[in-house]
Amino acid sequence: PAQLAIYAIAITPPEYIKSFFSITQPLSLPKYAEQDNRAIRSRMLENALKLFAVSVVTIGIYIGMAPFLYHWLFPKYTESIFYSQIFALSLLNFALTPAGIFLQAKRKIKEQYISGIFSSVFQVVSMVGFVLIWGLLGLIVARILTRILASLVNVVLYFRVPLDNKEDAKIHIVSG
């Protein structure tokens, strides 16, 4: 029970930061849906670099502030500080979210299933393995790796989508 409390307290602030970042997804979805693949791809690297910079700055600020916040808000759970700082690294995957948004906007259902199944299987396997090896730290590492690898899978699947919109046109003709 004590380890579970430490874990819950450790992941809560980074999860709130993640939910704040998640606001960009519903805002980006319509823009991606109406643009053609070439236009999106031409700005994808620039967008990813901007998001990476924002996430690095946010992580740095959080890591620096975490000890003060925990001593003030959770004085009985100062052991959570280290785990929370490590878990904040999972916010790095924010830079790769445009690829996942693209897959949603362009209705790439097969790719979304591949990504979802891969990340779910990887998460279960890594959690079991890493918890047995490193305990609570293993759980944190497994969650970080799962998020980053799931985002990387989305990036790979994003680059497999053709630049022309022939498939998108078929969807609109059939569904429209």
Side-chain angles (χ1 to χ4, degrees):
Q3 291 291 307
L4 183 58
I6 291 167
Y7 171 76
I9 301 277
I11 68 165
T12 298
E15 287 293 336
Y16 276 114
I17 295 169
K18 177 186 166 235
S19 67
F20 177 74
F21 281 162
S22 297
I23 292 169
T24 61
Q25 290 181 337
L27 298 175
S28 301
L29 197 60
K31 291 179 183 180
Y32 278 40
E34 65 188 24
Q35 294 177 3
D36 72 352
N37 297 355
R38 284 186 194 280
I40 294 169
R41 190 157 298 169
S42 70
R43 289 188 305 283
M44 186 64 76
L45 180 60
E46 178 185 338
N47 291 340
L49 290 174
K50 286 178 185 177
L51 293 173
F52 181 74
V54 167
S55 62
V56 166
V57 169
T58 303
I59 291 166
I61 290 169
Y62 177 75
I63 287 173
M65 290 179 57
F68 303 108
L69 292 172
Y70 275 81
H71 285 292
W72 181 51
L73 296 172
F74 311 113
K76 293 183 179 180
Y77 292 98
T78 56
E79 191 177 341
S80 296
I81 296 169
F82 171 73
Y83 297 113
S84 187
Q85 290 171 320
I86 297 296
F87 188 66
L89 295 174
S90 70
L91 297 173
L92 285 173
N93 82 321
F94 179 62
L96 302 175
T97 57
I101 295 169
F102 172 85
L103 296 176
Q104 284 181 309
K106 297 301 180 177
R107 298 180 183 149
K108 301 299 179 188
I109 306 300
K110 176 181 159 188
E111 288 82 356
Q112 290 178 59
Y113 276 125
I114 291 169
S115 176
I117 290 169
F118 172 81
S119 64
S120 297
V121 169
F122 181 81
Q123 183 166 353
V124 169
V125 171
S126 65
M127 281 182 166
V128 169
F130 290 168
V131 166
L132 291 174
I133 296 169
W134 295 316
L136 183 56
L137 181 60
L139 182 58
I140 299 289
V141 169
R143 295 229 18 225
I144 293 168
L145 289 177
T146 298
R147 283 188 179 171
I148 292 172
L149 287 175
S151 294
L152 288 173
V153 168
N154 282 340
V155 168
V156 169
L157 295 172
Y158 158 78
F159 279 111
R160 291 185 59 198
V161 173
L163 286 177
D164 61 3
N165 288 358
K166 290 179 183 174
E167 287 184 36
D168 294 338
K170 289 180 197 172
I171 291 171
H172 293 298
I173 292 169
V174 171
S175 64

